[in-house]
Amino acid sequence: MNRTTPETGHRTLRRLLSGAALLLAGLVLSLNALLAQDPVGREVVQLTVADAIGPATRDYIVRGIEEAEDTNAELVVLKLDTPGGLDASMRDIISKILNAEVPVATWIAPDGARAASAGTYILLASPVAAMAPATHLGAATPVPIGGAAPTAPAPAAEPEAEPATDEPMSEDTAASGDEAAEAEPPAAPADASSSKAINDAVAYIRGLAERHGRNADWAERAVREAVTLTAPEALEQNVIDLIAENIDDLLAAIDGREVKLHDRSVTLATEGLAVREIEPDWRTSLLAIITNPTLAYILLLVGVYGLLLEGYNPGALVPGIIGGISLLLALYAFQILPVNYAGLALMALGLALIAAELFVPSFGILGIGGLVAVVFGSVILFDEDVPGFAVNEGVIAGLAVSGAVLFGMIVWMIQRALQRPRMGGRASLIDHTAEAIADFTDGRGRVHLQGEDWFAHAEADIRRGQRVRITGIQDEGFVLDVVPLNDDER
């Protein structure tokens, strides 16, 4: 029978008290951590984009807004400087901004920055639209991949603008302005496809501008006429909300402003808040590298040539492994980049001709034709009208020069090889000298040649040990035709 002694009871009590103390300490630490997270969201998250809008910037912005939502930040400031970019990536970014739980302020900065094309859409979609001095926005006409931009004919020259006044526009003046606008509407694009793209972009950008009470008419002109505005002009025409020289000015200016989110309106309390900048992580950096058009182009060539070398030298492994990985990365990049498929087809044809040159010698004709096709395909592979997505011309020129030198060397080596005497077969034995093993009888005997004994036939008398020169070989019996060497040949 077990009995509990007073000493045992005290020991048990001490253990319980120690456990309770540890539990209480853990609760205190957890509470401190929760307080440190600041559930009210007393911080501003800054994202910085100074590049074309593409898959990498889309990933960075979307993940940054999601992180701000997780930490319950007060505001996300998107510091933007972009020439434009891809429509799909732009729409993903705008969709995230419109449906975010945290308000987003897009700020075109620093001085000299721009929000062209896709940047204009992103700016108008944001609850707060701001610009730094000496920045501009606009030129939002969509550019189709693989073709010319669907632009309308230039409108007639506008009358000289009236001086701006502080007085509001009268109804009569506004009416006359509307009538003038209706009298000279922008000309429609020439074909149905361009008209469809223009009208879709107009409806999209007008919806973004109207959502936040901005100038939807100017937004439409930015699409149809590719017009642009400086920061003061944008503020005057109600395209943006404010001009801010730095982020502190921006936070002070929007403090107390009511902005509209997807499901509610919130009042910003931003003055004096700490700003935490989110840097691109390894995933975003890797995506930016892979989707760089020049690198994707190089990966394609490395992949194809690696597989060709592996096929030409089976078992080498290294070219095949490197080529396979490079080709898969290139195909992934091409899937999300603005690829012109005519250029890709030309490159495929050129690479096929180069591969054929390795297996069907054509004295360089197939190789040179393939090189020309690859170069022309490279030039038009990515549409240069899409800002930030073009192959570096120096890389294409380097490829053309190195390929021309390579195939020139191949042709030169082929010519040298054709001029050399044959090193195998019957013809290789002609004019070689041999030694008679025994006296010839009736014009027949044996000679020693290159470590082998051959039957030989001679019209002249041949003695043992005499040097002879081979003049031919008979089709039957592998019999050599020989003649004795004269004194000069010996």
Side-chain angles (χ1 to χ4, degrees):
M1 181 176 180
N2 295 329
R3 293 182 179 180
T4 302
T5 63
E7 183 179 354
T8 303
H10 288 309
R11 190 162 47 246
T12 303
L13 181 60
R14 284 196 300 271
R15 290 175 179 173
L16 291 174
L17 290 175
S18 299
L22 290 174
L23 180 60
L24 181 60
L27 291 174
V28 171
L29 292 174
S30 300
L31 181 60
N32 289 335
L34 290 174
L35 292 175
Q37 287 182 356
D38 191 4
V40 185
R42 307 303 297 166
E43 73 167 0
V44 173
V45 170
Q46 178 179 329
L47 307 175
T48 302
V49 173
D51 199 357
I53 301 299
T57 51
R58 176 257 175 211
D59 181 79
Y60 169 61
I61 294 174
V62 170
R63 285 159 59 93
I65 295 176
E66 290 175 349
E67 183 176 335
E69 291 174 332
D70 293 339
T71 58
N72 199 21
E74 180 74 15
L75 178 72
V76 174
V77 174
L78 174 57
K79 184 178 179 181
L80 187 62
D81 178 12
T82 179
L86 303 182
D87 179 78
S89 299
M90 175 198 73
R91 289 178 181 263
D92 287 344
I93 293 170
I94 291 175
S95 177
K96 185 60 184 177
I97 291 175
L98 295 177
N99 295 282
E101 298 296 330
V102 178
V104 177
T106 298
W107 177 41
I108 309 307
D111 290 354
R114 58 177 170 167
S117 192
T120 300
Y121 292 80
I122 294 172
L123 180 69
L124 294 176
S126 303
V128 177
M131 298 175 69
T135 58
H136 66 277
L137 80 161
T141 305
V143 178
I145 303 303
T151 56
E158 298 180 357
E160 186 176 349
E162 293 292 334
T165 64
D166 295 334
E167 299 179 359
M169 182 182 295
S170 66
E171 292 182 0
D172 293 339
T173 305
S176 62
D178 292 340
E179 291 173 0
E182 293 175 0
E184 295 183 5
D191 59 274
S193 176
S194 298
S195 177
K196 181 178 178 180
I198 287 288
N199 291 332
D200 177 73
V202 165
Y204 188 51
I205 201 169
R206 286 190 68 94
L208 297 176
E210 291 170 352
R211 177 183 177 88
H212 299 293
R214 301 192 180 112
N215 190 337
D217 293 334
W218 179 88
E220 179 174 347
R221 290 186 61 210
V223 174
R224 294 192 184 277
E225 304 173 29
V227 295
T228 59
L229 290 177
T230 62
E233 293 171 339
L235 182 62
E236 180 183 355
Q237 298 189 33
N238 189 32
V239 176
I240 62 172
D241 302 320
L242 69 149
I243 297 175
E245 293 188 1
N246 52 60
I247 193 167
D248 292 332
D249 291 346
L250 172 65
L251 298 181
I254 64 177
D255 184 60
R257 179 187 293 264
E258 184 177 346
V259 296
K260 182 180 179 181
L261 300 183
H262 68 100
D263 58 351
R264 67 189 189 280
S265 295
V266 297
T267 301
L268 300 176
T270 55
E271 186 171 11
L273 291 185
V275 178
R276 178 171 65 91
E277 184 169 1
I278 297 178
E279 299 289 342
D281 59 9
W282 67 268
R283 170 179 167 174
T284 302
S285 301
L286 179 62
L287 189 60
I289 293 173
I290 293 175
T291 55
N292 181 288
T294 299
L295 183 61
Y297 171 73
I298 294 174
L299 285 174
L300 174 65
L301 296 181
V302 171
V304 172
Y305 282 120
L307 294 180
L308 286 177
L309 291 175
E310 181 67 28
Y312 197 65
N313 299 284
L317 298 182
V318 174
I321 293 173
I322 295 177
I325 294 174
S326 300
L327 188 58
L328 289 176
L329 291 175
L331 292 177
Y332 169 75
F334 286 174
Q335 179 187 1
I336 53 182
L337 286 175
V339 176
N340 185 326
Y341 290 101
L344 190 61
L346 270 175
M347 287 195 65
L349 173 62
L351 293 171
L353 292 176
I354 292 173
E357 177 67 36
L358 297 177
F359 299 98
V360 183
S362 63
F363 304 101
I365 296 175
L366 289 176
I368 294 173
L371 179 63
V372 172
V374 168
V375 170
F376 279 105
S378 302
V379 172
I380 64 173
L381 181 60
F382 295 103
D383 199 318
E384 295 184 358
D385 289 330
V386 180
F389 292 91
V391 179
N392 188 299
E393 295 179 354
V395 174
I396 299 177
L399 166 71
V401 173
S402 60
V405 171
L406 175 62
F407 284 109
M409 292 179 60
I410 291 175
V411 172
W412 177 70
M413 293 173 66
I414 291 174
Q415 289 179 342
R416 285 193 59 188
L418 292 176
Q419 293 174 355
R420 291 178 180 174
R422 296 186 181 181
M423 302 302 296
R426 296 185 176 186
S428 65
L429 300 178
I430 305 300
D431 290 332
H432 277 64
T433 59
E435 181 179 351
I437 299 174
D439 294 344
F440 277 41
T441 303
D442 297 331
R444 302 184 67 85
R446 297 172 62 197
V447 297
H448 187 74
L449 172 66
Q450 297 179 349
E452 299 176 335
D453 292 344
W454 292 71
F455 289 107
H457 171 265
E459 297 294 338
D461 187 23
I462 305 296
R463 299 293 180 181
R464 178 179 179 180
Q466 188 175 355
R467 303 290 296 176
V468 297
R469 179 169 59 85
I470 300 168
T471 59
I473 182 171
Q474 299 179 7
D475 293 334
E476 296 181 1
F478 293 100
V479 177
L480 302 177
D481 291 325
V482 299
V483 296
L485 294 178
N486 54 39
D487 292 339
D488 294 336
E489 293 177 322
R490 293 177 185 175

